[in-house]
Amino acid sequence: MTDTTIRKSVFLAADKPRVWDFLTKTDLLTQWFHPAQSDLSEGEDYLLTSQKDGDRMCWGTVEVMKPVDYMKWSFTVGPMQGKMSTVEWWLEEAPGGTRLTLEHSELPNSPDGYGLVLALDKGWHGFMGNLHDLATAPAPA
């Protein structure tokens, strides 16, 4: 059986510490992704909720944090019925900013799971666009 993986990469005109904050800090996660219950910390569970009604959207555990270079989460959403997948983030210095790469692996590899993978791919695409817009805006004074 092969693994189904989503890969996305975006250039952000922001330094790695600023991008890292967007990936880990509650107030910044809320702006581009989903509200978090708390800042993300290695070894801790996380829960991201809907901005509209507070329902849980995705959850798991922050497995590895290597500030400001790499982070790995276990990750699930309701339609996955408790099966965990893996989300990894790489931050690399690039001229004028940071290249952020996302890899979401261990996704369903079945005809029934195809729609979920397409929805996750579309979601990540939109969220990375949100992050691009926010992280490249001037930092507040």
Side-chain angles (χ1 to χ4, degrees), residues 4-49:
T4 301
T5 300
I6 296 169
R7 290 181 186 87
K8 304 272 181 200
S9 190
V10 65
F11 173 79
L12 304 169
D15 64 15
K16 285 171 54 175
R18 179 159 167 77
V19 174
W20 183 261
D21 284 348
F22 271 96
L23 295 176
T24 61
K25 302 293 183 193
T26 282
D27 59 327
L28 297 174
L29 276 164
T30 298
Q31 292 180 37
W32 69 274
F33 193 32
H34 295 295
Q37 301 297 304
S38 61
D39 290 352
L40 300 188
S41 299
E42 187 172 48
E44 298 293 324
D45 291 342
Y46 68 89
L47 170 64
L48 305 178
T49 60

Side-chain angles (χ1 to χ4, degrees), residues 45-127:
D45 291 342
Y46 68 89
L47 170 64
L48 305 178
T49 60
S50 166
Q51 291 191 19
K52 185 173 81 170
D53 55 20
D55 287 347
R56 69 182 188 165
M57 296 298 296
C58 50
W59 58 95
T61 302
V62 179
E63 297 179 353
V64 178
M65 290 180 97
K66 295 181 181 176
V68 292
D69 299 311
Y70 174 79
M71 183 167 44
K72 179 180 176 181
W73 305 340
S74 64
F75 179 97
T76 195
V77 293
M80 291 178 67
Q81 301 175 359
K83 182 185 180 307
M84 286 292 170
S85 59
T86 300
V87 172
E88 295 177 273
W89 302 93
W90 287 270
L91 292 80
E92 301 171 85
E93 286 186 25
T98 302
R99 173 158 304 283
L100 176 65
T101 301
L102 158 85
E103 185 173 289
H104 190 168
S105 60
E106 301 175 47
L107 292 165
N109 188 25
S110 67
D112 291 339
Y114 184 69
L116 175 61
V117 172
L118 288 177
L120 288 166
D121 183 60
K122 182 178 179 182
W124 284 124
H125 186 82
F127 292 128

